[in-house]
Amino acid sequence: MIKKSNCLSALLAASALLAACNSDYEPAIVTSENVEVSAFSLTADSKVLSNLDSVFFSIDLVNAQIFNADSLPYGTKVNKLIPKITTQSVSVAELIVPRSGLVDTTYNYLTNSTDSIDFSNGPVRLRLVSQSGSVERTYQIKVNVHQVKSDSLEWGGAALSRLPGSLAGVKESRTVEFKGKYYTLLGNGTNYRIAIQNNPADADYEEVSPISPINTPYAMKVNSLHATSDAAYVLSQTGDLLSAADEHLREWKLTQVSGWHAIVATYADQVIGSRQDAAGNWTLEYYPSGKSQALPEGFPVSGTSQTISYRFDMSTTTNVLIFGGRTTKGLSNACWSYDGKNWAKLTGRTVMLPVESPVVIPYFSTRTGADWVSTRYSTLVAFGGVNALGAINRDVYISYDFGVQWIKAGELMQLPEYVPATYGASAFVVDQELSAKARGLFAPSRIVKPITDWECPYIYVYGGYDASGKLSDNLWRAVINRFTFKPIE
């Protein structure tokens, strides 16, 4: 066994000998071959964009690409940006900037790291050379800017198509969603037809003609068409309630209900209508349950929006709401909500004028935070409808709290001049699958399984009437541009 004291003596002697033999020793210089970019950002400049330094850039080391996946807002000036680049110890760091019709300009980033760079003429090249000079790599830096106004409600410049159906002399039209399909009821006062679509984006439709009954005693109020979870309903001109539940809505049958003034809403399998008795008293009637209740104060008796179904985060039941309409005392600009048991008037601040037969759509809007992450919010969008002067409302209003408060939407959400103002239109939000390949959006990615397809919510607006009561025979489509962009991976 070797004692600890002997071991220590041996180590000290060896150290002294080593020091004596290397009195002129200098440590070897270890050079770096690393040409990796570990971080990239832009210097803050509020004159260009608020929180510019928070814009996130992806670094694809495999393909030598640096880019911001979430493009900067439309119109952002990128001709004078100061980049902040983090690398290991390199001997050369040059930014090679393209200039339209001129020779490229080269900036030495190591000696002039605060020079502003013009990214407006396409990708800027970043050339890095390792400390030893034996390794070199060139990166492409792209500062992406939206080419369209991302938060604008885009209508496409023209109607998507004509209304489905081929009824001659059509004067009335109403569309409902029923069991996953879209049914458009057309009428000319004598004849009625149904046009069926699986998807509003499809040009093809199936037409059902004739539908029964079409005799005069049961002539339909086409604009009263509504659908519940298991049937479609419409009123006759004399207030009789008709129903159809077959796949083609061909067989309309007379229920035992009569004397209704209008259909105002639906809830699950219930259709809800207003009725006035001989003494002038108003009630709300429910079919097929047979429930009846006194009309709540200020409740609309006709001309309401489509019924919107929704759920609160803390709610255990589904709620529906209706907006606007004609009350016994005039027009309304209030929302009413129903939870299957009781109606409640949603009272809050609103700048929207009272209107009859507006369009209300359960849609979305986006807000971009300081970290440049855009969050999607559930939003009610309302437009159209006739005001007390008989004029049609062109302004678009939005509500972030399910109809309690309404504000006028920003300029980018307003209707363009080429979209006609209407009342009584039918509107739906339908997801459509978009493809990155079809849109030419294969940006470099470090993700193992990149996003190639995504769902985009489109608004479809059927028909409606102008101020003279003439039917608009067009189908319009709209979308907030941002939703068509490829999601960030």
PDB file of all heavy atoms in Angstrom, residues 52-74:
ATOM      1  N   LEU A  52     -40.530  47.008 -32.833  1.00  0.00           N
ATOM      2  CA  LEU A  52     -39.807  46.377 -33.940  1.00  0.00           C
ATOM      3  C   LEU A  52     -38.786  45.368 -33.434  1.00  0.00           C
ATOM      4  O   LEU A  52     -38.530  44.342 -34.075  1.00  0.00           O
ATOM      5  CB  LEU A  52     -39.121  47.455 -34.779  1.00  0.00           C
ATOM      6  CG  LEU A  52     -38.358  46.994 -36.024  1.00  0.00           C
ATOM      7  CD1 LEU A  52     -39.294  46.335 -37.026  1.00  0.00           C
ATOM      8  CD2 LEU A  52     -37.624  48.174 -36.664  1.00  0.00           C
ATOM      9  N   ASP A  53     -38.195  45.649 -32.267  1.00  0.00           N
ATOM     10  CA  ASP A  53     -37.179  44.754 -31.733  1.00  0.00           C
ATOM     11  C   ASP A  53     -37.761  43.454 -31.181  1.00  0.00           C
ATOM     12  O   ASP A  53     -37.005  42.544 -30.820  1.00  0.00           O
ATOM     13  CB  ASP A  53     -36.372  45.460 -30.634  1.00  0.00           C
ATOM     14  CG  ASP A  53     -37.254  46.016 -29.531  1.00  0.00           C
ATOM     15  OD1 ASP A  53     -38.443  46.303 -29.797  1.00  0.00           O
ATOM     16  OD2 ASP A  53     -36.775  46.160 -28.387  1.00  0.00           O
ATOM     17  N   SER A  54     -39.101  43.352 -31.134  1.00  0.00           N
ATOM     18  CA  SER A  54     -39.742  42.130 -30.640  1.00  0.00           C
ATOM     19  C   SER A  54     -40.148  41.182 -31.759  1.00  0.00           C
ATOM     20  O   SER A  54     -40.650  40.095 -31.490  1.00  0.00           O
ATOM     21  CB  SER A  54     -40.987  42.482 -29.811  1.00  0.00           C
ATOM     22  OG  SER A  54     -40.634  43.243 -28.674  1.00  0.00           O
ATOM     23  N   VAL A  55     -39.966  41.594 -33.014  1.00  0.00           N
ATOM     24  CA  VAL A  55     -40.320  40.728 -34.138  1.00  0.00           C
ATOM     25  C   VAL A  55     -39.425  39.485 -34.111  1.00  0.00           C
ATOM     26  O   VAL A  55     -38.203  39.588 -34.047  1.00  0.00           O
ATOM     27  CB  VAL A  55     -40.160  41.473 -35.476  1.00  0.00           C
ATOM     28  CG1 VAL A  55     -40.432  40.532 -36.647  1.00  0.00           C
ATOM     29  CG2 VAL A  55     -41.084  42.674 -35.522  1.00  0.00           C
ATOM     30  N   PHE A  56     -40.050  38.317 -34.148  1.00  0.00           N
ATOM     31  CA  PHE A  56     -39.300  37.059 -34.037  1.00  0.00           C
ATOM     32  C   PHE A  56     -38.799  36.598 -35.408  1.00  0.00           C
ATOM     33  O   PHE A  56     -39.561  36.564 -36.379  1.00  0.00           O
ATOM     34  CB  PHE A  56     -40.173  35.973 -33.426  1.00  0.00           C
ATOM     35  CG  PHE A  56     -39.480  34.641 -33.303  1.00  0.00           C
ATOM     36  CD1 PHE A  56     -38.549  34.419 -32.311  1.00  0.00           C
ATOM     37  CD2 PHE A  56     -39.744  33.625 -34.210  1.00  0.00           C
ATOM     38  CE1 PHE A  56     -37.890  33.207 -32.199  1.00  0.00           C
ATOM     39  CE2 PHE A  56     -39.092  32.403 -34.117  1.00  0.00           C
ATOM     40  CZ  PHE A  56     -38.163  32.200 -33.111  1.00  0.00           C
ATOM     41  N   PHE A  57     -37.523  36.236 -35.459  1.00  0.00           N
ATOM     42  CA  PHE A  57     -36.921  35.711 -36.681  1.00  0.00           C
ATOM     43  C   PHE A  57     -36.512  34.257 -36.467  1.00  0.00           C
ATOM     44  O   PHE A  57     -35.887  33.918 -35.458  1.00  0.00           O
ATOM     45  CB  PHE A  57     -35.702  36.540 -37.084  1.00  0.00           C
ATOM     46  CG  PHE A  57     -36.043  37.819 -37.787  1.00  0.00           C
ATOM     47  CD1 PHE A  57     -36.412  38.945 -37.063  1.00  0.00           C
ATOM     48  CD2 PHE A  57     -36.028  37.895 -39.173  1.00  0.00           C
ATOM     49  CE1 PHE A  57     -36.748  40.122 -37.705  1.00  0.00           C
ATOM     50  CE2 PHE A  57     -36.360  39.062 -39.829  1.00  0.00           C
ATOM     51  CZ  PHE A  57     -36.727  40.182 -39.095  1.00  0.00           C
ATOM     52  N   SER A  58     -36.870  33.424 -37.428  1.00  0.00           N
ATOM     53  CA  SER A  58     -36.452  32.026 -37.416  1.00  0.00           C
ATOM     54  C   SER A  58     -35.086  31.913 -38.078  1.00  0.00           C
ATOM     55  O   SER A  58     -34.795  32.608 -39.053  1.00  0.00           O
ATOM     56  CB  SER A  58     -37.460  31.153 -38.166  1.00  0.00           C
ATOM     57  OG  SER A  58     -38.731  31.219 -37.553  1.00  0.00           O
ATOM     58  N   ILE A  59     -34.258  31.026 -37.545  1.00  0.00           N
ATOM     59  CA  ILE A  59     -32.935  30.767 -38.121  1.00  0.00           C
ATOM     60  C   ILE A  59     -32.884  29.305 -38.542  1.00  0.00           C
ATOM     61  O   ILE A  59     -32.913  28.409 -37.702  1.00  0.00           O
ATOM     62  CB  ILE A  59     -31.817  31.073 -37.110  1.00  0.00           C
ATOM     63  CG1 ILE A  59     -31.900  32.527 -36.642  1.00  0.00           C
ATOM     64  CG2 ILE A  59     -30.447  30.779 -37.714  1.00  0.00           C
ATOM     65  CD1 ILE A  59     -30.938  32.866 -35.523  1.00  0.00           C
ATOM     66  N   ASP A  60     -32.860  29.084 -39.826  1.00  0.00           N
ATOM     67  CA  ASP A  60     -32.786  27.733 -40.390  1.00  0.00           C
ATOM     68  C   ASP A  60     -31.320  27.443 -40.710  1.00  0.00           C
ATOM     69  O   ASP A  60     -30.798  27.865 -41.749  1.00  0.00           O
ATOM     70  CB  ASP A  60     -33.661  27.662 -41.640  1.00  0.00           C
ATOM     71  CG  ASP A  60     -33.685  26.261 -42.244  1.00  0.00           C
ATOM     72  OD1 ASP A  60     -32.928  25.396 -41.765  1.00  0.00           O
ATOM     73  OD2 ASP A  60     -34.445  26.043 -43.197  1.00  0.00           O
ATOM     74  N   LEU A  61     -30.653  26.740 -39.805  1.00  0.00           N
ATOM     75  CA  LEU A  61     -29.226  26.465 -39.975  1.00  0.00           C
ATOM     76  C   LEU A  61     -28.965  25.440 -41.069  1.00  0.00           C
ATOM     77  O   LEU A  61     -27.878  25.408 -41.639  1.00  0.00           O
ATOM     78  CB  LEU A  61     -28.633  25.980 -38.651  1.00  0.00           C
ATOM     79  CG  LEU A  61     -28.647  27.008 -37.505  1.00  0.00           C
ATOM     80  CD1 LEU A  61     -28.125  26.378 -36.230  1.00  0.00           C
ATOM     81  CD2 LEU A  61     -27.832  28.237 -37.871  1.00  0.00           C
ATOM     82  N   VAL A  62     -29.955  24.612 -41.353  1.00  0.00           N
ATOM     83  CA  VAL A  62     -29.771  23.595 -42.391  1.00  0.00           C
ATOM     84  C   VAL A  62     -29.695  24.236 -43.765  1.00  0.00           C
ATOM     85  O   VAL A  62     -28.825  23.929 -44.585  1.00  0.00           O
ATOM     86  CB  VAL A  62     -30.907  22.550 -42.332  1.00  0.00           C
ATOM     87  CG1 VAL A  62     -30.776  21.553 -43.489  1.00  0.00           C
ATOM     88  CG2 VAL A  62     -30.902  21.831 -40.997  1.00  0.00           C
ATOM     89  N   ASN A  63     -30.629  25.160 -44.027  1.00  0.00           N
ATOM     90  CA  ASN A  63     -30.703  25.783 -45.350  1.00  0.00           C
ATOM     91  C   ASN A  63     -30.121  27.191 -45.387  1.00  0.00           C
ATOM     92  O   ASN A  63     -30.248  27.885 -46.402  1.00  0.00           O
ATOM     93  CB  ASN A  63     -32.159  25.823 -45.819  1.00  0.00           C
ATOM     94  CG  ASN A  63     -32.752  24.444 -45.975  1.00  0.00           C
ATOM     95  OD1 ASN A  63     -32.303  23.656 -46.803  1.00  0.00           O
ATOM     96  ND2 ASN A  63     -33.759  24.136 -45.165  1.00  0.00           N
ATOM     97  N   ALA A  64     -29.530  27.633 -44.264  1.00  0.00           N
ATOM     98  CA  ALA A  64     -28.901  28.962 -44.189  1.00  0.00           C
ATOM     99  C   ALA A  64     -29.900  30.069 -44.531  1.00  0.00           C
ATOM    100  O   ALA A  64     -29.648  30.923 -45.384  1.00  0.00           O
ATOM    101  CB  ALA A  64     -27.680  29.035 -45.093  1.00  0.00           C
ATOM    102  N   GLN A  65     -31.066  30.031 -43.864  1.00  0.00           N
ATOM    103  CA  GLN A  65     -32.107  31.022 -44.102  1.00  0.00           C
ATOM    104  C   GLN A  65     -32.478  31.682 -42.777  1.00  0.00           C
ATOM    105  O   GLN A  65     -32.626  31.016 -41.745  1.00  0.00           O
ATOM    106  CB  GLN A  65     -33.363  30.363 -44.691  1.00  0.00           C
ATOM    107  CG  GLN A  65     -33.138  29.642 -46.009  1.00  0.00           C
ATOM    108  CD  GLN A  65     -33.175  30.592 -47.186  1.00  0.00           C
ATOM    109  OE1 GLN A  65     -33.541  31.755 -47.036  1.00  0.00           O
ATOM    110  NE2 GLN A  65     -32.796  30.109 -48.360  1.00  0.00           N
ATOM    111  N   ILE A  66     -32.656  33.001 -42.793  1.00  0.00           N
ATOM    112  CA  ILE A  66     -33.125  33.767 -41.635  1.00  0.00           C
ATOM    113  C   ILE A  66     -34.327  34.572 -42.100  1.00  0.00           C
ATOM    114  O   ILE A  66     -34.239  35.313 -43.085  1.00  0.00           O
ATOM    115  CB  ILE A  66     -32.015  34.704 -41.107  1.00  0.00           C
ATOM    116  CG1 ILE A  66     -30.774  33.894 -40.708  1.00  0.00           C
ATOM    117  CG2 ILE A  66     -32.525  35.522 -39.928  1.00  0.00           C
ATOM    118  CD1 ILE A  66     -29.567  34.754 -40.367  1.00  0.00           C
ATOM    119  N   PHE A  67     -35.464  34.430 -41.406  1.00  0.00           N
ATOM    120  CA  PHE A  67     -36.689  35.077 -41.890  1.00  0.00           C
ATOM    121  C   PHE A  67     -37.688  35.229 -40.753  1.00  0.00           C
ATOM    122  O   PHE A  67     -37.634  34.509 -39.753  1.00  0.00           O
ATOM    123  CB  PHE A  67     -37.328  34.263 -43.025  1.00  0.00           C
ATOM    124  CG  PHE A  67     -37.700  32.857 -42.605  1.00  0.00           C
ATOM    125  CD1 PHE A  67     -38.999  32.554 -42.198  1.00  0.00           C
ATOM    126  CD2 PHE A  67     -36.746  31.844 -42.607  1.00  0.00           C
ATOM    127  CE1 PHE A  67     -39.333  31.265 -41.802  1.00  0.00           C
ATOM    128  CE2 PHE A  67     -37.070  30.553 -42.212  1.00  0.00           C
ATOM    129  CZ  PHE A  67     -38.377  30.262 -41.812  1.00  0.00           C
ATOM    130  N   ASN A  68     -38.609  36.183 -40.896  1.00  0.00           N
ATOM    131  CA  ASN A  68     -39.726  36.342 -39.962  1.00  0.00           C
ATOM    132  C   ASN A  68     -40.944  35.659 -40.569  1.00  0.00           C
ATOM    133  O   ASN A  68     -41.476  36.095 -41.593  1.00  0.00           O
ATOM    134  CB  ASN A  68     -40.004  37.819 -39.669  1.00  0.00           C
ATOM    135  CG  ASN A  68     -40.236  38.644 -40.918  1.00  0.00           C
ATOM    136  OD1 ASN A  68     -39.524  38.501 -41.911  1.00  0.00           O
ATOM    137  ND2 ASN A  68     -41.238  39.521 -40.875  1.00  0.00           N
ATOM    138  N   ALA A  69     -41.391  34.567 -39.949  1.00  0.00           N
ATOM    139  CA  ALA A  69     -42.517  33.803 -40.486  1.00  0.00           C
ATOM    140  C   ALA A  69     -43.809  34.610 -40.447  1.00  0.00           C
ATOM    141  O   ALA A  69     -44.640  34.509 -41.348  1.00  0.00           O
ATOM    142  CB  ALA A  69     -42.682  32.500 -39.702  1.00  0.00           C
ATOM    143  N   ASP A  70     -43.996  35.411 -39.396  1.00  0.00           N
ATOM    144  CA  ASP A  70     -45.178  36.267 -39.312  1.00  0.00           C
ATOM    145  C   ASP A  70     -44.804  37.617 -39.916  1.00  0.00           C
ATOM    146  O   ASP A  70     -44.086  38.409 -39.303  1.00  0.00           O
ATOM    147  CB  ASP A  70     -45.614  36.419 -37.856  1.00  0.00           C
ATOM    148  CG  ASP A  70     -46.990  37.048 -37.742  1.00  0.00           C
ATOM    149  OD1 ASP A  70     -47.645  37.262 -38.775  1.00  0.00           O
ATOM    150  OD2 ASP A  70     -47.421  37.325 -36.606  1.00  0.00           O
ATOM    151  N   SER A  71     -45.272  37.871 -41.126  1.00  0.00           N
ATOM    152  CA  SER A  71     -44.864  39.061 -41.868  1.00  0.00           C
ATOM    153  C   SER A  71     -45.239  40.345 -41.142  1.00  0.00           C
ATOM    154  O   SER A  71     -46.221  40.405 -40.387  1.00  0.00           O
ATOM    155  CB  SER A  71     -45.499  39.051 -43.261  1.00  0.00           C
ATOM    156  OG  SER A  71     -45.087  37.919 -43.991  1.00  0.00           O
ATOM    157  N   LEU A  72     -44.452  41.387 -41.378  1.00  0.00           N
ATOM    158  CA  LEU A  72     -44.751  42.701 -40.828  1.00  0.00           C
ATOM    159  C   LEU A  72     -45.992  43.276 -41.507  1.00  0.00           C
ATOM    160  O   LEU A  72     -46.353  42.874 -42.607  1.00  0.00           O
ATOM    161  CB  LEU A  72     -43.555  43.630 -41.045  1.00  0.00           C
ATOM    162  CG  LEU A  72     -42.217  43.180 -40.427  1.00  0.00           C
ATOM    163  CD1 LEU A  72     -41.142  44.227 -40.696  1.00  0.00           C
ATOM    164  CD2 LEU A  72     -42.370  42.937 -38.945  1.00  0.00           C
ATOM    165  N   PRO A  73     -46.673  44.223 -40.848  1.00  0.00           N
ATOM    166  CA  PRO A  73     -47.898  44.786 -41.422  1.00  0.00           C
ATOM    167  C   PRO A  73     -47.693  45.384 -42.808  1.00  0.00           C
ATOM    168  O   PRO A  73     -46.598  45.851 -43.143  1.00  0.00           O
ATOM    169  CB  PRO A  73     -48.295  45.867 -40.408  1.00  0.00           C
ATOM    170  CG  PRO A  73     -47.662  45.439 -39.128  1.00  0.00           C
ATOM    171  CD  PRO A  73     -46.376  44.781 -39.522  1.00  0.00           C
ATOM    172  N   TYR A  74     -48.771  45.360 -43.561  1.00  0.00           N
ATOM    173  CA  TYR A  74     -48.777  45.936 -44.906  1.00  0.00           C
ATOM    174  C   TYR A  74     -48.265  47.376 -44.859  1.00  0.00           C
ATOM    175  O   TYR A  74     -48.674  48.185 -44.033  1.00  0.00           O
ATOM    176  CB  TYR A  74     -50.206  45.901 -45.452  1.00  0.00           C
ATOM    177  CG  TYR A  74     -50.406  46.580 -46.789  1.00  0.00           C
ATOM    178  CD1 TYR A  74     -50.182  45.891 -47.968  1.00  0.00           C
ATOM    179  CD2 TYR A  74     -50.828  47.906 -46.858  1.00  0.00           C
ATOM    180  CE1 TYR A  74     -50.367  46.502 -49.199  1.00  0.00           C
ATOM    181  CE2 TYR A  74     -51.016  48.531 -48.085  1.00  0.00           C
ATOM    182  CZ  TYR A  74     -50.789  47.822 -49.249  1.00  0.00           C
ATOM    183  OH  TYR A  74     -50.971  48.434 -50.456  1.00  0.00           O
TER     184      TYR A  74
END
